[in-house]
Amino acid sequence: MAEEDDARIRILQSLRGKICEAKNLGPVSGPNRQRDLCTFCTISLDQEEVFRTKVFDKSGSPFYGEDFYFEIPRPFQCLSFYVYAKSVFQRDLPVGKVSIRKDDLCKYSGKEHWFSLHPVDPNSEVQGKVHLEMRLNEVITENGSVGQHLVVRIIECKELPLINGQNCDPYATVSLVGPARSDQKKTKVKKKTSNPQFEETFFFEVTRSSSYSKKSHFQVEEEDIEKLEIKVDLWNNENLGQDVFLGETRVPVKILRNDHIHKAWYLLQPKGNGSKSKSDDLGSLRLKLTYIEDTVLPSACYTPLCNLLLKSPDVKPISASAAHILGDTCRERYEAVLPMVRLLLHHNRFVPFVSAVAALELDNTQEANTIFRGNSLATRCIDDMMKIVGKNYLAVTLKPVIDEICDSNKTCEIDPNKLKEGDNVEVNKENLQVYVQKVFSSITQSSSSCPPLMCDVFRSLRHLACKRFPGDPHVQYSAVSSFVFLRFFAVAVLSPHSFQLRSHHPDPEISRTLTLISKTIQTLGSWGSLSKKLSSFKETYMYDFFKSFQEDKCIEKVKKFLDEISSNVSKESSGLEDAVVLKEGEVQKRAQGRKRLGKRNFKKRWLRVTNRELSYHKHKGKEALCTISVKNIQAVEKLDESAFNRKNMFQVVHSEKPLYVQAGNCVEASEWLEVLGQVTRCNEGRLATFHPSNYTSGAWQCCKSQSNSAPGCKPCTTTMLANLQLDIDCDRETERIFSFLSSNDTKLQNMEDACASMAVYQGPQREQEEYSKFTIQEPKETFQTLKQLRNIMEELQRQHNIRNDTTAQYGSLDNPIVGKTS
């Protein structure tokens, strides 16, 4: 049973951060050495590109401002950031790179750092590992002399890089090198694979003594052995060009004297040349990185902590609950609330919890006009909920008009101090007014699309606000508008790339336009601001601009919208759900009806998935070449690499022939699988099994079944049905909560001490700085919850320790040896 539990342990990785800016970029290598070229950045896991910024106009110190987040679906050794100069007539030219080994990522987590750029040398761009078996054999020759032969068996390689997005054609050279010798042998070329199986053995003569006797058994000349080493190089075979170096490892022969057979995995290293060339000053890159690696244990380990958290809405007072204690002790860590919100959402416990914490906050709010304006636990929870639940709502409501604003790029500056020469302020004001009117109308007419869960929360907030301030007729609206306008729509307009409304950070001029629109939307949606006199606005140049909207009866429109999304009246659905683009991008699509292998079998296509259909197009914006209804999709699964000798492939199984697709990288493949899995998980015709390979030459290549309609040979990925538009991994979220609580163990202990002190000392609360940081209404109840939390955490930590005791052996596949370089 213990072995089964260990088999269910998962290592999950994610990376979040921002490519902020570069400064003092040096000249690029190559014939064109202009200093100020258009540049862009990429992110690579080892040598696989997984993210690319937009191209930035000519500047030696560009501001990229690109946020990124992705799950890392495979092991990796190195995270690299490349800066490229965009070239029109030739390949993009590398300016420099920042490479950070996986083990060093924790040093930079959560904070911004400036990194110096280093040269991009093709011989240093390596990844992967090689499995070797080596031994020294004693050999007796015909004349009776004895010597030693070195036997080197190259077994296999793992995780070699893609070459131009495709699997490589690898081969290996095995050499015995020393001061006066270099004997080299070569394996066969393996076609289209990143994990070649070589299984080839090579023999080298090492030493030979002048005579043989039993006393000189296994005699070796020490000076030779000390200087000899085995060198293994991996190459990609290029039929028409120069072969590409993939990596090397070096093993001293002397280590084989202590082993009968030495068998181990080695990491491939850059090509060693004995010295490092001095690099030019290439500039630097400012990055913010947060790498998270979660060791997720079997579900049973998390049941006690999960149950304690889910009981939180029922605890009286709410401040004594485990979820509130998490928010209280981790208030400096904004991201600590997110896993708790996701867990409560999944189990339909979010609304009662957030209602309770909102009521607690309102009890401490003295003036109606400051309602929900701080960064409290209630506001953080609702912020995260809206981002999760309201993603498609934003896409339906804002994406069309945001796309129009970004693509048309009309000047909208109305600040006299920021106008450029030749700008017409009246024309700019008219442009801005048109855009604001479109955004405002899209929002105020969107109530039928507002997710029911958001409406439930807004209805609760409205009720609580009226109860707390019964004499204020406007508070019922400001309680809702402070979230839906100020913290949801206005923020999404200001930063559309952060809400997946645009793929990249907008240009400075467009960003300025979005800033002006966002400020206007905040004011129009803020009930308190609309009831003030126009002269109270800070920006005098906005006076006439806002006056026109007040005359347009926007107050009545806002009120009607807020009534609709927070009233008790159930909304009638029109039955016609708006099509929402969930993901789109360029892929390689396998052509139907072709032979298994062939150059023209795969073509570039633009793949697009909405909540209604999956379609592919010749190019973005063109008519669909094929459309598949989402309801007709029976399975979406990974495809074995061996099917077409290509990585990152998946299949969409429907009533016709399966659609075979290759994503651009491992992250893209994972995202396509997630989105398609979510949108089809409730389909009635979903399959229970699938074929992980293709049908060719009269048989399925995976199970050799000859019937084209034979049931699959592998179980389909199971999906959890939920009332949200995403799957939530509850075990992972609970592990994240455990990590946050563990890192704040000292605060938990201080809170426990404060409860004990308050329970014993019944007089007025003493002014102690540490105690005042916590919300403790009922010391005894809070103390009991803290004791339960600490007991559960101790047991969880014990479970982690048990599984961490068995570390992978050095030289194994999971813990390869870092080979020597020259």
Side-chain angles (χ1 to χ4, degrees):
M1 189 58 141
E3 290 180 2
E4 290 181 9
D5 282 351
D6 287 340
R8 301 205 314 266
I9 294 174
R10 296 173 293 150
I11 307 296
L12 302 178
Q13 310 168 97
S14 64
L15 184 70
R16 180 189 304 277
K18 187 172 189 174
I19 302 175
C20 303
E21 61 178 319
K23 66 179 180 181
N24 303 324
L25 293 181
V28 299
S29 57
N32 188 350
R33 296 178 64 87
Q34 271 184 267
R35 185 172 182 81
D36 290 343
L37 291 177
C38 298
T39 61
F40 63 92
C41 285
T42 66
I43 303 177
S44 292
L45 294 172
D46 298 322
Q47 297 307 304
E48 184 179 16
E49 182 183 315
V50 296
F51 180 83
R52 177 177 291 217
T53 71
K54 67 176 182 181
V55 178
F56 197 89
D57 289 340
K58 292 183 179 181
S59 172
S61 297
F63 180 83
Y64 297 108
E66 292 273 10
D67 298 298
F68 58 85
Y69 172 80
F70 50 84
E71 298 288 328
I72 301 176
R74 63 168 178 81
F76 72 102
Q77 302 168 28
C78 194
L79 177 71
S80 300
F81 297 81
Y82 294 82
V83 178
Y84 287 95
K86 189 70 178 175
S87 179
V88 178
F89 302 110
Q90 54 187 320
R91 293 180 62 182
D92 298 330
L93 304 173
V95 177
K97 70 173 181 179
V98 173
S99 289
I100 308 170
R101 296 202 69 83
K102 176 183 173 182
D103 294 340
D104 295 329
L105 281 171
C106 59
K107 298 177 184 177
Y108 310 107
S109 188
K111 296 181 180 179
E112 291 184 0
H113 293 269
W114 280 100
F115 296 88
S116 296
L117 291 173
H118 295 280
V120 178
D121 175 11
N123 288 330
S124 70
E125 305 293 289
V126 304
Q127 73 176 66
K129 55 194 84 169
V130 60
H131 196 192
L132 302 175
E133 180 180 297
M134 299 162 282
R135 66 181 184 274
L136 282 170
N137 280 353
E138 180 183 334
V139 179
I140 301 175
T141 63
E142 293 179 356
N143 61 9
S145 63
V146 64
Q148 283 190 312
H149 279 187
L150 171 66
V151 183
V152 180
R153 176 170 162 242
I154 178 166
I155 304 170
E156 62 178 319
C157 288
K158 293 282 189 185
E159 301 163 16
L160 295 179
L162 300 176
I163 304 295
N164 297 324
Q166 306 298 326
N167 282 331
C168 53
D169 295 334
Y171 69 89
T173 59
V174 182
S175 308
L176 179 64
V177 296
R181 64 187 294 176
S182 179
D183 303 331
Q184 185 180 94
K185 303 181 190 258
K186 177 182 172 182
T187 69
K188 295 177 181 178
V189 175
K190 300 296 179 180
K191 292 290 185 180
K192 301 300 178 188
T193 177
S194 298
N195 302 301
Q197 299 280 334
F198 291 110
E199 294 291 354
E200 294 193 40
T201 304
F202 303 100
F203 300 88
F204 300 89
E205 185 179 272
V206 179
T207 60
R208 176 176 292 172
S209 60
S210 56
S211 62
Y212 173 72
S213 68
K214 288 188 176 181
K215 288 185 179 180
S216 63
H217 179 68
F218 227 70
Q219 181 180 351
V220 177
E221 297 177 17
E222 291 291 336
E223 62 273 15
D224 289 339
I225 282 288
E226 291 294 330
K227 297 174 183 177
L228 292 177
E229 63 183 10
I230 304 151
K231 179 170 172 280
V232 179
D233 293 86
L234 271 295
W235 300 85
N236 178 55
N237 182 54
E238 295 279 351
N239 292 324
L240 301 178
Q242 185 175 356
D243 291 351
V244 177
F245 175 74
L246 300 178
E248 71 170 31
T249 191
R250 296 169 179 253
V251 183
V253 173
K254 63 182 179 181
I255 72 168
L256 304 182
R257 292 176 299 181
N258 301 322
D259 290 340
H260 180 60
I261 296 179
H262 179 79
K263 187 175 181 180
W265 283 90
Y266 283 83
L267 277 179
L268 294 176
Q269 300 291 306
K271 183 174 288 186
N273 54 14
S275 63
K276 292 186 177 181
S277 58
K278 185 178 179 181
S279 63
D280 297 329
D281 183 7
L282 302 176
S284 53
L285 192 63
R286 182 163 63 93
L287 304 170
K288 183 177 182 180
L289 307 173
T290 300
Y291 169 73
I292 297 175
E293 182 177 285
D294 294 317
T295 302
V296 183
L297 305 176
S299 293
C301 297
Y302 298 109
T303 301
L305 180 55
C306 185
N307 288 344
L308 186 63
L309 290 162
L310 294 177
K311 281 170 51 181
S312 295
D314 304 322
V315 175
K316 300 290 188 296
I318 192 67
S319 60
S321 68
H324 194 282
I325 288 171
L326 170 68
D328 218 11
T329 54
C330 303
R331 63 179 65 182
E332 289 84 10
R333 299 290 300 273
Y334 188 89
E335 68 274 20
V337 173
L338 179 59
M340 181 182 72
V341 169
R342 292 170 69 88
L343 199 64
L344 292 169
L345 283 172
H346 183 83
H347 291 278
N348 294 317
R349 300 291 283 156
F350 180 79
V351 176
F353 175 75
V354 83
S355 298
V357 294
L360 177 60
E361 179 176 338
L362 285 171
D363 287 342
N364 297 316
T365 303
Q366 303 305 317
E367 297 182 14
N369 60 0
T370 62
I371 192 170
F372 300 127
R373 292 302 175 94
N375 187 24
S376 64
L377 179 58
T379 58
R380 287 153 64 193
C381 286
I382 297 172
D383 281 351
D384 284 337
M385 177 276 295
M386 291 191 298
K387 288 178 183 177
I388 296 169
V389 178
K391 183 179 178 182
N392 287 350
Y393 180 32
L394 282 177
V396 171
T397 307
L398 290 183
K399 193 175 191 322
V401 65
I402 293 292
D403 286 342
E404 179 186 345
I405 292 166
C406 294
D407 295 340
S408 61
N409 196 16
K410 293 180 180 178
T411 305
C412 297
E413 185 57 72
I414 58 174
D415 184 349
N417 298 322
K418 295 184 178 181
L419 290 172
K420 296 179 181 178
E421 186 176 350
D423 279 351
N424 186 320
V425 69
E426 293 303 321
V427 172
N428 292 357
K429 187 182 293 184
E430 185 177 340
N431 291 339
L432 181 60
Q433 191 162 346
V434 169
Y435 284 154
V436 169
Q437 188 63 59
K438 287 186 176 183
V439 172
F440 181 71
S441 297
S442 295
I443 293 171
T444 54
Q445 295 171 13
S446 70
S447 61
S448 62
S449 301
C450 187
L453 186 68
M454 287 177 62
C455 294
D456 291 342
V457 171
F458 296 151
R459 184 162 55 249
S460 176
L461 295 177
R462 181 173 181 167
H463 171 74
L464 291 169
C466 291
K467 184 178 177 181
R468 176 67 179 88
F469 299 102
D472 190 327
H474 300 309
V475 73
Q476 60 178 317
Y477 296 110
S478 58
V480 178
S481 66
S482 61
F483 286 103
V484 73
F485 277 101
L486 275 64
R487 293 175 175 267
F488 187 58
F489 285 120
V491 180
V493 170
L494 183 66
S495 183
H497 61 294
S498 299
F499 290 81
Q500 291 81 52
L501 298 177
R502 296 287 291 182
S503 56
H504 295 296
H505 185 75
D507 294 330
E509 189 169 327
I510 295 173
S511 184
R512 172 61 179 165
T513 297
L514 294 175
T515 299
L516 290 171
I517 296 171
S518 178
K519 291 173 69 174
T520 311
I521 294 300
Q522 285 186 54
T523 305
L524 291 173
S526 175
W527 194 262
S529 295
L530 286 172
S531 60
K532 295 178 182 178
K533 294 181 180 179
L534 290 172
S535 58
S536 66
F537 292 123
K538 294 179 181 179
E539 300 92 342
T540 55
Y541 58 86
M542 299 287 271
Y543 180 92
D544 292 333
F545 188 74
F546 279 108
K547 186 177 179 181
S548 63
F549 281 100
Q550 193 182 46
E551 292 171 351
D552 195 32
K553 299 182 179 179
C554 67
I555 293 179
E556 287 77 4
K557 293 179 181 179
V558 170
K559 180 182 175 183
K560 181 175 181 292
F561 170 68
L562 296 175
D563 279 335
E564 290 171 344
I565 64 171
S566 63
S567 66
N568 290 315
V569 180
S570 60
K571 295 176 295 182
E572 291 289 333
S573 173
S574 64
L576 297 174
E577 186 181 6
D578 290 323
V580 180
V581 178
L582 302 176
K583 184 171 175 62
E584 59 182 336
E586 190 175 78
V587 299
Q588 293 275 348
K589 188 194 76 70
R590 160 77 176 177
Q592 299 286 356
R594 293 191 179 269
K595 294 181 180 179
R596 180 167 176 263
L597 301 174
K599 290 183 179 179
R600 296 184 59 82
N601 284 356
F602 284 84
K603 293 184 177 181
K604 287 183 179 180
R605 291 291 181 258
W606 187 263
L607 194 65
R608 188 172 185 261
V609 59
T610 72
N611 52 331
R612 291 181 184 174
E613 61 190 26
L614 171 69
S615 59
Y616 61 82
H617 315 246
K618 191 168 185 178
H619 301 290
K620 182 179 181 180
K622 297 292 185 181
E623 291 293 321
L625 299 175
C626 176
T627 299
I628 303 169
S629 173
V630 161
K631 294 180 180 179
N632 295 333
I633 295 177
Q634 300 167 326
V636 183
E637 298 289 344
K638 290 182 180 178
L639 202 64
D640 283 350
E641 182 181 328
S642 59
F644 299 105
N645 287 330
R646 291 185 175 225
K647 275 189 171 184
N648 305 321
M649 287 202 66
F650 63 92
Q651 57 182 317
V652 180
V653 183
H654 58 110
S655 55
E656 304 295 329
K657 291 183 178 180
L659 177 67
Y660 296 124
V661 179
Q662 182 186 27
N665 55 63
C666 62
V667 172
E668 280 285 310
S670 180
E671 290 176 353
W672 280 114
L673 284 165
E674 181 182 8
V675 168
L676 286 165
Q678 288 172 10
V679 79
T680 62
R681 65 187 172 194
C682 296
N683 288 357
E684 293 181 359
R686 283 186 65 90
L687 299 176
T689 58
F690 75 103
H691 291 284
S693 191
N694 63 326
Y695 184 85
T696 184
S697 302
W700 288 100
Q701 298 305 300
C702 42
C703 59
K704 305 306 178 185
S705 176
Q706 296 183 357
S707 172
N708 191 16
S709 59
C713 55
K714 187 176 180 181
C716 285
T717 305
T718 56
T719 57
M720 297 181 66
L721 299 181
N723 62 347
L724 297 177
Q725 295 168 337
L726 79 165
D727 289 317
I728 293 175
D729 186 340
C730 292
D731 292 342
R732 186 183 194 180
E733 302 303 338
T734 312
E735 171 61 29
R736 289 267 75 228
I737 291 169
F738 167 69
S739 298
F740 284 119
L741 288 170
S742 298
S743 64
N744 285 272
D745 185 66
T746 302
K747 290 185 179 180
L748 288 174
Q749 183 62 61
N750 290 339
M751 192 176 192
E752 195 173 319
D753 293 343
C755 289
S757 175
M758 291 170 66
V760 173
Y761 179 70
Q762 297 296 328
Q765 184 174 346
R766 293 173 292 175
E767 288 296 327
Q768 295 192 29
E769 183 181 351
E770 195 63 45
Y771 296 179
S772 63
K773 293 180 181 179
F774 308 121
T775 305
I776 303 174
Q777 293 174 287
E778 292 288 343
K780 291 182 180 179
E781 191 73 29
T782 307
F783 184 84
Q784 290 300 320
T785 305
L786 284 164
K787 290 298 288 184
Q788 292 180 67
L789 260 181
R790 295 182 72 81
N791 290 337
I792 291 170
M793 288 170 60
E794 286 174 7
E795 176 59 23
L796 254 178
Q797 188 59 58
R798 190 181 72 82
Q799 295 291 340
H800 274 286
N801 293 340
I802 290 172
R803 290 161 174 82
N804 290 338
D805 284 344
T806 54
T807 54
Q809 182 180 356
Y810 190 50
S812 66
L813 176 61
D814 295 326
N815 189 15
I817 297 170
V818 179
K820 175 189 173 186
T821 57
S822 63

